[in-house]
Amino acid sequence: MKTFKLTLFVMLLALIISSCSHTNNFSQYNMAKSKVLFEKAFGSDINKVHQYSSNTHSKKESDAEFFSRTALSIGSAFIGNDIEDKFTKAVNPDSIASAISQGVENTLIKYFQIQTESDVAGEYDYICIVALDKCEITSGSAGVYLNVGATTRITDRKTGGIVWEDSENENIQLRFSTTNYNSKSGLERTLNDATQVAMLASLTEDEIRKAVRNASSEVSRLFCQTIQEDFMEMNKKK
């Protein structure tokens, strides 16, 4: 049993490390004064709202617990749709990806003196794709959070080899929850979930817009910082 737990721990640790790792092959390619095509891509978790409830169905629940849980479930669906509508109105995924891409582009110009290319059929040496992987709101026992995640990959046009790749995420807490989710009472857990739904419903378009702007700015900053560090590492190998 101990061996199984140790193996499971090692596997989870390896998964965490791999998810945080990035590829730096700058030293294997000559990007200085090269021409780079910039593109954008989008994941499936864009402008999504995820609600997680701690209140599960019990065969021993009372009529009050059953009806309150059912009513909350219906209300949660309406609130979720309402927040997704606010999300869609407040946030333009293309603008987020463009802002992150602009930060990466400026950093590559600063350190590698690259030239940019906008025509996919044009003459260029490398391809830089900034993928907005997620821009989502998650509501759970800890509160309401906004998460923005992106991946930047630079590939060599001739060989398709990966020159550089990195993934970054930023979480911003929008609402903090102080409810007791250890309660054994189904009715009390339903009331706790109702508080969670109320916090979600209180979000405004301006609040969402500001949070997304701050999160995407931080993601862009992390990309730029990593490029700078990897540029320094490349020069140490020369």
Side-chain angles (χ1 to χ4, degrees):
M1 186 66 178
K2 290 183 178 179
T3 303
F4 172 76
K5 289 182 178 179
L6 179 60
T7 303
L8 181 60
F9 173 76
V10 172
M11 290 175 64
L12 289 173
L13 181 61
L15 180 61
I16 293 172
I17 293 174
S18 64
S19 65
C20 298
S21 63
H22 77 281
T23 301
N24 175 24
N25 291 327
F26 280 148
S27 61
Q28 300 176 26
Y29 297 87
N30 182 19
M31 284 198 66
K33 298 182 180 180
S34 62
K35 187 170 285 189
V36 181
L37 172 74
F38 284 85
E39 294 185 325
K40 293 171 291 186
F42 302 91
S44 58
D45 286 328
I46 305 297
N47 291 11
K48 296 294 184 180
V49 177
H50 302 287
Q51 300 179 63
Y52 299 99
S53 171
S54 66
N55 195 8
T56 56
H57 171 66
S58 172
K59 293 181 179 180
K60 297 181 180 180
E61 68 181 355
S62 64
D63 289 343
E65 291 173 338
F66 170 77
F67 286 115
S68 61
R69 182 173 56 81
T70 303
L72 178 62
S73 178
I74 296 173
S76 296
F78 280 110
I79 294 299
N81 290 335
D82 179 61
I83 293 299
E84 284 196 0
D85 287 341
K86 290 181 181 179
F87 213 165
T88 301
K89 292 177 182 178
V91 178
N92 183 347
D94 188 72
S95 296
I96 300 172
S98 294
I100 296 173
S101 181
Q102 189 63 58
V104 172
E105 179 182 323
N106 290 342
T107 304
L108 291 174
I109 291 174
K110 186 185 303 180
Y111 292 104
F112 291 94
Q113 301 177 53
I114 67 161
Q115 299 178 35
T116 60
E117 175 61 61
S118 58
D119 184 4
V120 69
E123 294 292 332
Y124 48 91
D125 307 294
Y126 299 97
I127 303 166
C128 180
I129 299 178
V130 175
L132 182 62
D133 300 321
K134 64 177 68 175
C135 181
E136 59 184 4
I137 290 176
T138 301
S139 175
S141 59
V144 181
Y145 287 83
L146 170 86
N147 178 257
V148 173
T151 299
T152 296
R153 173 183 287 187
I154 302 173
T155 57
D156 179 38
R157 187 183 189 186
K158 291 182 179 179
T159 66
I162 298 177
V163 179
W164 188 88
E165 184 174 18
D166 187 37
S167 295
E168 299 292 351
N169 286 275
E170 176 66 10
N171 285 296
I172 291 182
Q173 188 174 48
L174 301 174
R175 295 289 186 275
F176 178 73
S177 175
T178 58
T179 54
N180 177 22
Y181 278 84
N182 294 319
S183 172
K184 295 182 179 180
S185 167
L187 186 58
E188 186 173 342
R189 289 198 303 271
T190 299
L191 292 175
N192 289 339
D193 284 347
T195 301
Q196 174 186 317
V197 172
M199 289 191 298
L200 193 61
S202 68
L203 295 177
T204 66
E205 287 184 31
D206 287 340
E207 191 174 10
I208 295 172
R209 188 180 297 109
K210 181 179 179 180
V212 170
R213 183 171 60 249
N214 291 340
S216 57
S217 294
E218 178 61 14
V219 168
S220 180
R221 187 193 68 80
L222 292 171
F223 279 137
C224 297
Q225 177 179 303
T226 305
I227 291 173
Q228 177 190 8
E229 293 171 351
D230 290 346
F231 177 78
M232 293 171 59
E233 184 67 26
M234 177 192 71
N235 287 323
K236 288 179 181 179
K237 295 179 180 179
K238 290 183 179 179

